[in-house]
Amino acid sequence: RKEVEQDPGPFNVPEGATVAFNCTYSNSASQSFFWYRQDCRKEPKLLMSVYSSGNEDGRFTAQLNRASQYISLLIRDSKLSDSATYLCVVTSLNYGGSQGNLIFGKGTKLSVKP
Amino acid sequence: DTGVSQNPRHKITKRGQNVTFRCDPISEHNRLYWYRQTLGQGPEFLTYFQNEAQLEKSRLLSDRFSAERPKGSFSTLEIQRTEQGDSAMYLCASSPMGGRRIEKLFFGSGTQLSVL
């Protein structure tokens, strides 16, 4: 099983649509979770952190289910500018028990059409 | 510009040559990461440093790859005897380390390597 798995898409949606992305991770010891956004030929940038209680930032809502090892991202009222690849990211633990490296999923491509 | 800086932006080399990339992180960040990304894939972890100490290295990383961060500031990634399969975008990122938790990563624009 891959460490972080995402549906690669592409998701093609009209403007104004609501779209949801899912991600599963294999390491139950992971403690930090993130969604990153990557535009074509650009570097990844943090979209939002994901907390156990769930969190919302404007049109974006992230959820974490530790029991199922599952993370989701919901985008409401999608805009043309939301077109990008969305990367699910989890942390590993190093031998000292502190957070190690960040493991990225392959990403889910979103294309919002007029 | 106080972001993460990577040089060069592009590198074209012939198979078998050695190449070296440089990364200058955000000055107060003690963690520095190297990732590699190919088209259609997410960034693949290579190695990371906390200050000058290299704490983890991917098991997938060939011994042709070596990274250093001699004074805990800038880092270099060297690839020896390059192969066509090394062609990729090499991304550097830095992060403050807040206690035992990872804070967000700030990425540089990357170095695009093409091995002919």
Side-chain angles (χ1 to χ4, degrees):
Chain A
R1 181 180 175 184
K2 292 183 180 177
E3 292 189 85
V4 180
E5 292 203 65
Q6 294 182 250
D7 180 344
F11 283 58
N12 298 309
V13 303
E15 269 186 294
T18 295
V19 60
F21 304 139
N22 302 319
C23 168
T24 57
Y25 61 95
S26 61
N27 187 348
S28 60
S30 295
Q31 295 189 18
S32 297
F33 309 90
F34 308 91
W35 283 101
Y36 275 72
R37 170 191 169 131
Q38 187 170 27
D39 294 295
C40 187
R41 301 185 189 280
K42 298 284 190 181
E43 72 274 18
K45 292 185 178 178
L46 179 68
L47 178 66
M48 58 198 306
S49 301
V50 187
Y51 305 116
S52 296
S53 54
N55 49 303
E56 186 174 315
D57 182 3
R59 298 181 293 108
F60 298 84
T61 300
Q63 296 278 351
L64 168 64
N65 184 322
R66 285 187 183 272
S68 301
Q69 295 178 208
Y70 170 95
I71 305 161
S72 66
L73 177 68
L74 183 76
I75 305 175
R76 292 181 299 278
D77 187 23
S78 53
K79 312 290 185 191
L80 295 176
S81 57
D82 294 334
S83 297
T85 295
Y86 291 83
L87 299 160
C88 175
V89 186
V90 306
T91 56
S92 66
L93 288 177
N94 63 22
Y95 293 115
S98 61
Q99 301 285 294
N101 70 79
L102 274 70
I103 302 166
F104 285 74
K106 287 187 175 183
T108 299
K109 187 171 182 180
L110 171 66
S111 182
V112 181
K113 305 291 187 184
Chain B
D1 185 352
T2 56
V4 177
S5 175
Q6 290 188 247
N7 288 289
R9 290 294 304 275
H10 301 92
K11 179 70 177 179
I12 299 173
T13 191
K14 292 183 179 178
R15 190 174 50 189
Q17 298 293 305
N18 298 345
V19 294
T20 301
F21 310 140
R22 177 178 169 125
C23 173
D24 288 88
I26 295 172
S27 59
E28 62 269 25
H29 287 182
N30 51 9
R31 280 222 175 170
L32 187 149
Y33 298 77
W34 284 99
Y35 286 84
R36 174 173 65 188
Q37 188 174 27
T38 54
L39 201 61
Q41 303 294 314
E44 175 192 21
F45 170 74
L46 295 179
T47 189
Y48 84 89
F49 294 83
Q50 182 153 317
N51 300 313
E52 65 276 8
Q54 188 173 18
L55 294 189
E56 193 171 342
K57 191 173 174 181
S58 169
R59 285 169 292 176
L60 301 174
L61 203 61
S62 154
D63 58 6
R64 296 184 295 106
F65 288 70
S66 62
E68 294 183 342
R69 195 183 183 195
K71 297 182 179 179
S73 56
F74 74 92
S75 176
T76 57
L77 176 69
E78 182 182 16
I79 309 174
Q80 294 182 327
R81 304 181 303 282
T82 52
E83 302 173 356
Q84 289 184 326
D86 298 331
S87 296
M89 175 71 81
Y90 289 83
L91 292 164
C92 175
S94 70
S95 171
M97 181 63 183
R100 292 162 65 90
R101 296 187 64 82
I102 291 180
E103 305 294 333
K104 64 182 281 191
L105 294 188
F106 295 78
F107 280 88
S109 299
T111 294
Q112 181 66 53
L113 173 66
S114 298
V115 182
L116 305 179

